[in-house]
Amino acid sequence: QSVLTQPPSVSGAPGQRVTISCTGSSSNIGAGYTVHWYQQLPGTSPKLLISGDNNRPSGVPDRFSVSKSGTSASLAITGLQVDDGADYYCQSYDSSLSGYVFGTGTKVTVL
Amino acid sequence: EVQLVESGGGLVKPGGSLRLSCAASGFTFSSFTMNWVRQAPGKGLEWVSSIISSGNFIFYADSVQGRFTIYRDNAKNSLYLQMNSLRAEDTAVYYCARASSGVTSELDSWGQGTLVTVSS
């Protein structure tokens, strides 16, 4: 059961900017727990994309950026590329569940 | 290079048991919190369980509490998930994942996953 809500899908043409929202509650994002983002390419394991305040693992371009406000967070992808087509998940920690919570996932389609 | 390799998945009947293993290499296993995350076919990610570095603190999702047991052997650089009383809804790819710095931090390394199918 996902506690963080994301739009099922977003799409954009190459070069455009898309954003993915992640809505939580007062026991997770609203409580100040860090939000992290993962990319899952078709048929592969999830990969950490961005942790916390725009901390990108080596190899992740700065076309990916995040923001957070209140009980929500968002991931922005600028200069959309065909290779960005994947599923994206937000994740945080929930104090009432004493464990990680993931977003419902968003499929990004590059038109 | 950090490597996590899961094994032990397979087909099991409802009510049956299965033990998953995760072999870790490329880092000091005994220093990290480890986790199991699953993904049902065509569905999203679901956190299953976490165990801190020493093994002294363990957490479970409500959906598996009382049926699954996570444990680790730091001498063998291995993580395990004992799954009992399996249900159809436990069918999923199970990933082993490392937390970068504690139970609330990001999961910075993932294995390739092992498929568990619960069906009669």
Side-chain angles (χ1 to χ4, degrees), chain B residues 10-93:
Chain B
L11 175 63
V12 60
K13 289 182 167 54
S17 298
L18 211 56
R19 188 186 81 157
L20 305 183
S21 300
C22 171
S25 60
F27 66 102
T28 305
F29 179 75
S30 60
S31 297
F32 288 85
T33 293
M34 297 298 296
N35 307 268
W36 288 99
V37 176
R38 68 184 181 184
Q39 186 171 34
K43 303 297 184 181
L45 301 172
E46 179 188 15
W47 168 75
V48 173
S49 182
S50 300
I51 182 168
I52 70 165
S53 56
S54 65
N56 290 342
F57 288 94
I58 288 171
F59 307 90
Y60 296 102
D62 289 344
S63 57
V64 305
Q65 179 80 48
R67 301 187 299 121
F68 289 12
T69 301
I70 188 173
Y71 59 104
R72 63 193 296 163
D73 185 334
N74 287 341
K76 294 184 177 179
N77 292 335
S78 293
L79 175 71
Y80 304 96
L81 185 67
Q82 177 66 43
M83 304 186 296
N84 298 331
S85 302
L86 283 161
R87 307 166 180 167
E89 53 265 35
D90 295 319
T91 294
V93 173

Side-chain angles (χ1 to χ4, degrees), chain A residues 1-2 33-34 36 38 40 44-48 51 89 91 93 97-104, chain B residues 35 37 39 43-47 50 59 62 95 99 102-108 110-113:
Chain A
Q1 182 180 357
S2 297
Y33 292 107
T34 310
H36 313 294
Y38 302 85
Q40 187 174 32
T44 69
S45 306
K47 179 188 82 168
L48 178 65
S51 61
Y89 295 90
Q91 173 251 312
Y93 179 83
L97 300 175
S98 295
Y100 289 115
V101 285
F102 284 94
T104 47
Chain B
N35 307 268
V37 176
Q39 186 171 34
K43 303 297 184 181
L45 301 172
E46 179 188 15
W47 168 75
S50 300
F59 307 90
D62 289 344
Y95 296 103
V103 292
T104 67
S105 66
E106 67 275 18
L107 303 176
D108 64 354
W110 297 65
Q112 85 289 349

